[in-house]
Amino acid sequence: MTTVIDGEAVAADLRTEIADRVETLAESGVKPGLATVLMSTDPASETYVSMKQRDCEEVGIEGIHVEVDPDAPAETLYETIDDLNARDDVHGILVQLPVPDHVDKRTVLRRIDPEKDVDGFHPENVGRLVAGDPLFKPCTPHGVQKLLAAYDVETEGADAVVVGRSDIVGKPMANLLLQKAPGGNATVTVCHSRTTDLEARLEAADIVVAAAGLPEFVDGSMLKEGATVIDVGINRVEADTERGYELVGDVDYDSAKEVAGAITPVPGGVGPMTRAMLLYNTLMAASRQHDVDIDLP
Ligand code: GUN
């Protein structure tokens, strides 16, 4: 029997624990605050940001939302970040990506105070992760790591294949699985669009993390019997539905489920964990900035 990994349930448990720690911080007069910054009219980005704000409310984190006109000069966004860096009630800052073409993404990521960088994308935090001394772990790969732990999937000594080399998911995922730490110690292969013979690498994988942004790219015929399959993809594909599209992952779920030992669905797998880890990082940021010790879940 294939286990369907229930990301909604694991994320709900984590949110309960986070809400509990938020109450502990309140005893010291601290209310964690997360600022989301949106410089886009992309409907998907708007939806993601509003979901993040809703999550904050659920666990007692103060959500602060700032919109920057997508046609404004880049400097307007940089100054917005400076203002948020300076605010004592803002512990975490997330600038929703992508930003418009006239804005330099690297400048945006560098401008955020590393202590408020709840995405974990500032070069200092990227460096700390690679060096084995992470502060804020990027939310999606951290969420995947928590999911694997929740389902007792052994990473130590496992052959893990990460499909995709993005800065947001693929690279930090590979680094986390490689860490000499719990949830790590895997033998990690990173595959991407120029990988030759992807099939041969997947065939040997105990754990597959699919994060290539390609609809149903990995199918059951490529997988080892009993593999754990984590699908990070959320792709809109045209479909005869009311919305005109449907959401599919990077894994062909039906064929993969026949072979996998455990698999995440889309939606309801990694997505809710990504959102929960943002709350987790915000909680951690607030506890650090006020020097109040809490037992992080
Ligand atoms: N756009 C898509 N994923 C992310 C993410 O994890 N963080 C931010 N800031 N923007 C995104």
Side-chain angles (χ1 to χ4, degrees):
M1 259 300 269
T2 306
T3 302
V4 177
I5 296 177
D6 188 348
E8 289 287 0
V10 179
D13 286 349
L14 197 55
R15 286 197 301 273
T16 303
E17 292 206 56
I18 290 169
D20 175 72
R21 305 308 193 278
V22 168
E23 281 183 23
T24 308
L25 276 182
E27 288 162 17
S28 304
V30 177
K31 179 163 186 167
L34 172 68
T36 52
V37 182
L38 180 65
M39 189 179 188
S40 168
T41 53
D42 171 51
S45 290
E46 285 172 352
T47 304
Y48 290 140
V49 166
S50 71
M51 289 194 302
K52 288 165 187 172
Q53 285 292 333
R54 222 176 38 221
D55 292 340
C56 284
E57 201 174 312
E58 185 190 323
V59 298
I61 290 176
E62 186 72 30
I64 298 119
H65 180 57
V66 183
E67 297 214 355
V68 179
D69 183 339
D71 295 324
E75 201 56 40
T76 308
L77 177 59
Y78 306 153
E79 285 167 7
T80 300
I81 295 170
D82 293 344
D83 291 344
L84 294 169
N85 280 337
R87 276 175 64 166
D88 289 338
D89 60 332
V90 171
H91 305 98
I93 302 170
L94 176 143
V95 177
Q96 184 67 27
L97 301 174
V99 284
D101 288 345
H102 68 280
V103 177
D104 180 35
K105 185 180 93 174
R106 288 201 173 91
T107 304
V108 170
L109 301 182
R110 282 193 170 87
R111 197 83 166 215
I112 297 170
D113 180 341
E115 283 285 343
K116 296 191 177 187
D117 172 36
V118 285
D119 263 325
F121 296 162
H122 188 287
E124 185 175 313
N125 284 321
V126 175
R128 286 188 63 161
L129 175 65
V130 175
D133 175 32
L135 178 56
F136 298 111
K137 298 179 189 171
C139 299
T140 299
H142 194 190
V144 170
Q145 205 179 32
K146 289 266 183 201
L147 262 189
L148 293 173
Y151 279 82
D152 294 323
V153 176
E154 182 61 87
T155 55
E156 182 163 333
D159 279 316
V161 171
V162 179
V163 185
R165 55 175 158 178
S166 69
D167 294 334
I168 294 181
V169 185
K171 286 186 212 165
M173 185 76 254
N175 270 302
L176 283 175
L177 289 167
L178 202 57
Q179 305 264 304
K180 216 174 201 178
N185 289 312
T187 302
V188 183
T189 304
V190 183
C191 297
H192 50 78
S193 54
R194 308 292 163 86
T195 297
T196 55
D197 208 357
L198 174 73
E199 279 83 355
R201 294 165 206 277
L202 285 176
E203 205 176 78
D206 304 305
I207 298 170
V208 175
V209 181
L214 298 169
E216 299 177 332
F217 182 58
V218 173
D219 71 49
S221 71
M222 303 169 171
L223 298 168
K224 177 161 134 181
E225 187 82 37
T228 299
V229 180
I230 305 292
D231 190 350
V232 177
I234 311 178
N235 308 287
R236 278 186 190 202
V237 294
E238 257 181 52
D240 197 12
T241 62
E242 205 176 300
R243 297 182 294 186
Y245 67 88
E246 63 177 349
L247 294 177
V248 300
D250 284 5
V251 176
D252 175 39
Y253 184 79
D254 291 336
S255 65
K257 190 166 175 262
E258 294 296 311
V259 186
I263 186 167
T264 57
V266 175
V270 174
M273 290 302 294
T274 297
R275 288 163 55 191
M277 298 326 291
L278 178 64
L279 304 173
Y280 178 101
N281 279 351
T282 304
L283 176 70
M284 185 170 126
S287 97
R288 286 175 60 84
Q289 284 160 46
H290 292 272
D291 207 11
V292 180
D293 258 343
I294 47 165
D295 188 19
L296 277 168

